[in-house]
């Protein structure tokens, strides 16, 4: 079963690919996943082509969550309720990473959902109903710096970024995103 670990999670120089969940965070889920309020948790989906409609195993649960993803490829994952690549509740950083070809089914945030920092990364070829590349909720502030968002698709609207929170985009390229 899940292990309770103190502190933070760092994922470095890894590949997280071809995972499926019926909930949020096809590749990585960082948060409480509908649990009662309390310390943050992270579940890392690291199995390949998980067949069940809502699987996320093996999982590790982390209290006092800070998620950092560095030099990692998040590729071909699906989160049916949002955050095909990564869904976060709490501090989550994506640094010098590739987030591509992820989808959020009929939901929001094909590539990233509520990630707080995107630095020197490529968010490309992701899809969702809303926010093909990135989705940001009202309680979240996201900074996207020296990154590229390209070829993402929102089938209803917001190909690159859908925000109802605060988004700061600095020295980044947004190109060929569609809605």
């Amino acid at each position: 079963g899940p292990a309770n670990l103190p502190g933070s999670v760092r994922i470095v120089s890894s590949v997280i690919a071809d995972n499926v969940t019926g909930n949020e965070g096809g590749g990585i889920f960082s948060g409480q996943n509908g649990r009662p309020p309390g310390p943050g948790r992270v579940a890392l989906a690291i199995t390949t082509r998980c067949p069940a409609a809502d699987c996320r195993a093996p999982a590790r649960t982390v209290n006092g969550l800070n998620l950092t993803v560095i030099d990692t490829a998040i590729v071909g994952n699906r989160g049916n309720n949002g955050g095909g690549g990564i869904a976060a509740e709490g501090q989550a950083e994506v640094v010098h990473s590739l987030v591509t070809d992820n989808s959020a089914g009929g939901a929001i945030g094909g590539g990233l959902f509520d990630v707080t920092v995107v630095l020197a990364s490529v968010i490309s070829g992701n899809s969702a109903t809303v926010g093909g590349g990135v989705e940001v909720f009202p309680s979240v502030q996201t900074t996207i710096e020296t990154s590229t968002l390209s070829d993402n698709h929102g089938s209803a609207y917001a190909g690159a970024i859908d925000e109802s929170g605060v988004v700061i985009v600095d020295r980044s390229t947004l190109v060929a995103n569609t809605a």
Side-chain angles (χ1 to χ4, degrees):
N4 288 319
L5 305 171
S8 301
V9 171
R10 275 175 74 96
I11 301 170
V12 181
S13 300
S14 300
V15 175
I16 298 174
D18 299 322
N19 298 286
V20 177
T21 180
N23 212 338
E24 295 98 5
I28 299 172
F29 175 79
S30 141
Q32 297 184 52
N33 196 19
R35 294 179 181 95
R41 296 178 173 91
V42 65
L44 305 179
I46 56 175
T47 56
T48 300
R49 302 228 183 258
C50 190
D54 188 10
C55 61
R56 193 184 300 107
R60 294 183 181 273
T61 301
V62 178
N63 296 314
L65 177 66
N66 288 304
L67 174 67
T68 304
V69 176
I70 302 171
D71 293 324
T72 294
I74 311 290
V75 181
N77 300 289
R78 180 179 172 95
N80 288 328
N81 283 342
I86 299 174
E89 294 175 7
Q91 296 296 313
E93 300 179 345
V94 176
V95 180
H96 201 262
S97 293
L98 172 66
V99 179
T100 188
D101 297 326
N102 300 287
S103 67
I108 55 178
L112 303 174
F113 176 63
D114 281 355
V115 169
T116 52
V117 175
V118 179
L119 178 63
S121 295
V122 174
I123 314 300
S124 179
N126 302 289
S127 63
T129 302
V130 176
V134 179
E135 174 67 37
V136 180
F137 265 19
S139 60
V140 176
Q141 177 172 319
T142 297
T143 299
I144 300 171
E145 187 174 328
T146 60
S147 295
T148 299
L149 279 78
S150 65
D151 300 305
N152 298 292
H153 179 70
S155 61
Y157 58 92
I161 302 169
D162 179 55
E163 58 78 27
S164 49
V166 175
V167 177
I168 299 166
V169 178
D170 185 22
R171 295 171 286 147
S172 296
T173 302
L174 283 72
V175 62
N177 298 287
T178 59

